[in-house]
Amino acid sequence: MSGGAEQYQVYQTSPEGDEKLLTQCMKWRDYALRKDRTVQFMFQSLARAGCTMPTERVWCEHCSPSLSGGYRPDGSVTLCSNNVFSQKHVAETMVHELIHAFDDCRAHIEWNNCEHLACSEVRAAALSGDCRFLNEIQRGNISIAGQFKRCVRRRAELSIKMSPACKASAVRKSAHFPKIPRAISTAGRGNSGPLLPIAPTAGSVDSQLLLLSLLMLLLNFLIQTVATVDKVFDACFKDTEPFERIP
C-alpha cells in the first residue's frame, strides 16, 4: 500500500538475499523512466507545475511488508523492492506516488490532515492504474457495475488506516471511554507503599474494560476512516489533474 503520509519502515540493513530484489527493482524503475509514457507525463507535469523532480529522487529500498511504495514530503519517492513484483507494478506505483508529489506541489498538502491525505489517496488510486479491471481480478474482486469506484474508495480507506497521523486523530476524538486504573498499592493493608503500574490480569474487571476501550477505539477509527473518505470522495474523484480524464 502506498501513499503520501505513510510512515513506512526502511530496513537499515538489507535482509540476506534481498540485494537481488533491489537490483531488479532499479532495473524496472529505469525502464519505466525511459519507456513508460504515463510516468514520463507525470515528471513533465511536475516540471510544468514548478516542481521539477530529478529522477534520482526515485529509488528502491526494502520496506515493511504492507507497502509497495511511498512519497516523502521532502520530494522523494520510494519503491519497495521486496513488495513490487513486475515492471507494470513498478510503473503503477511510480505514478501513484507521483500523483502525491503533484498534489503536494500544487496544493501544499498537509500530510497530517486526514482529509487532505484522503483526497490525494482517492486521486492516486483513480489515476495510477491501481484499480484497473485486471488488477481487481487478481485481488479477487470481480464485479462489473461500480467496481472501479468501489476499488478507489477501498484503496483510499486502506491507506488512511495505515496513517499514524489519522490513527492519532482518532484517539484524540475518542472521548468518554472507560477509565482504566493504572496503578495499585504494592504494600499490605494499612501501608501507604509506592504505587506501581500493573497489567490487568486476564478475566479481571480492569482487563475487560481495557478490551472494551480498545474495541471502541478501533470501531471509532474505522468509522472515522470511512467518513473521511466519504466527505472528500466526489470532489476528489472528479479532479483528474494533470490528466484530462482518468487514464
Side-chain angles (χ1 to χ4, degrees), residues 62-183:
H62 299 279
C63 309
S64 53
S66 58
L67 297 172
S68 55
Y71 169 71
R72 290 188 175 99
D74 67 0
S76 63
V77 167
T78 294
L79 302 171
C80 296
S81 58
N82 49 324
N83 299 323
V84 291
F85 51 82
S86 69
Q87 177 65 62
K88 174 175 169 289
H89 189 199
V90 165
E92 289 177 353
T93 301
M94 289 175 68
V95 174
H96 183 116
E97 305 308 335
L98 291 170
I99 293 292
H100 290 316
F102 183 82
D103 287 349
D104 202 15
C105 175
R106 69 168 183 163
H108 305 293
I109 298 292
E110 296 177 12
W111 296 112
N112 290 328
N113 182 314
C114 291
E115 290 184 13
H116 288 197
L117 174 59
C119 184
S120 192
E121 290 295 351
V122 166
R123 284 176 29 78
L127 301 174
S128 65
D130 283 354
C131 290
R132 290 193 178 107
F133 187 66
L134 289 179
N135 288 344
E136 279 291 87
I137 289 178
Q138 290 175 347
R139 298 178 186 123
N141 300 315
I142 303 175
S143 179
I144 301 298
Q147 181 61 41
F148 183 78
K149 279 192 174 182
R150 281 196 296 274
C151 173
V152 170
R153 186 182 298 273
R154 185 184 71 251
R155 303 287 286 178
E157 289 174 359
L158 285 171
S159 292
I160 293 296
K161 290 174 185 176
M162 296 171 66
S163 166
C166 295
K167 290 177 183 177
S169 175
V171 171
R172 289 193 298 270
K173 292 178 181 179
S174 299
H176 307 114
F177 283 3
K179 301 300 182 182
I180 308 302
R182 300 184 59 187

Side-chain angles (χ1 to χ4, degrees), residues 24-44 46 52-60 77 79 86-95 97-98:
Q24 181 62 71
C25 178
M26 290 299 291
K27 287 181 179 179
W28 285 333
R29 181 210 74 149
D30 292 345
Y31 185 88
L33 290 171
R34 294 195 312 269
K35 299 291 186 178
D36 191 282
R37 292 183 179 180
T38 308
V39 169
Q40 293 173 344
F41 174 76
M42 285 306 306
F43 275 96
Q44 294 164 3
L46 280 166
T52 300
M53 178 185 288
T55 57
E56 295 79 10
R57 301 291 285 171
V58 181
W59 62 72
C60 295
V77 167
L79 302 171
S86 69
Q87 177 65 62
K88 174 175 169 289
H89 189 199
V90 165
E92 289 177 353
T93 301
M94 289 175 68
V95 174
E97 305 308 335
L98 291 170

